[in-house]
């Protein structure tokens, strides 16, 4: 056997276990109680997540309806502004009247 430099040659080597350490004598009622608590926790988590999902969907629907309203308003404003721009361009044009070219009135 090879000697180690640690000075712990008489002790068993340390190993990493994959199983968690537990009480050597667990009672069956505590296991059932833990399982019920886990189920309740999972159900509570599930209900909390579903309610959060419903809130998010409602918020998205509300924001989409606002977006549609804003888009409609933008369309109407764009058509109104196009008409006003066309009218102002027409008002700025010179015209021929009574044998003379006339220009827009300047204030």
């Amino acid at each position: 056997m090879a000697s180690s430099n640690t000075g712990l040659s008489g002790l068993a080597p340390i190993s990493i276990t994959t199983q968690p350490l537990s009480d050597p004598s667990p009672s069956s009622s505590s296991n059932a109680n833990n399982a019920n608590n886990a189920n309740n926790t999972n159900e509570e988590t599930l209900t909390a997540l579903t309610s959060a999902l419903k809130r998010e969907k409602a918020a998205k629907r509300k924001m989409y309806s606002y977006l549609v309203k804003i888009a409609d308003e933008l369309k109407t404003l764009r058509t109104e502004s196009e008409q006003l721009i066309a009218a102002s361009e027409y008002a700025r044009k010179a015209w021929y009247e009574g044998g003379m070219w006339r220009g827009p009135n300047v204030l």
Side-chain angles (χ1 to χ4, degrees):
M1 186 164 159
S3 65
S4 70
N5 295 331
T6 61
L8 302 174
S9 60
L11 298 174
I14 298 173
S15 65
I16 298 175
T17 61
T18 57
Q19 297 294 325
L21 299 175
S22 62
D23 188 17
S25 61
S27 65
S28 62
S29 65
S30 68
N31 285 340
N33 194 15
N34 288 341
N36 286 337
N37 287 341
N39 287 340
N40 288 341
T41 305
N42 289 340
E43 289 174 5
E44 290 170 358
T45 304
L46 183 63
T47 55
L49 289 174
T50 54
S51 65
L53 184 64
K54 286 180 183 179
R55 280 194 309 269
E56 286 180 18
K57 283 185 177 182
K60 286 181 181 179
R61 273 195 300 269
K62 192 174 187 179
M63 290 193 54
Y64 182 76
S65 68
Y66 288 148
L67 182 64
V68 169
K69 287 179 183 179
I70 290 171
D72 288 340
E73 188 172 341
L74 181 62
K75 281 182 196 175
T76 58
L77 286 174
R78 187 175 286 163
T79 57
E80 288 174 2
S81 66
E82 286 174 356
Q83 292 172 354
L84 289 173
I85 289 171
S88 67
E89 286 176 356
Y90 180 76
R92 280 190 244 130
K93 288 184 178 178
W95 68 95
Y96 186 78
E97 178 184 330
M100 284 183 83
W101 281 97
R102 314 243 178 198
N105 293 336
V106 179
L107 298 176

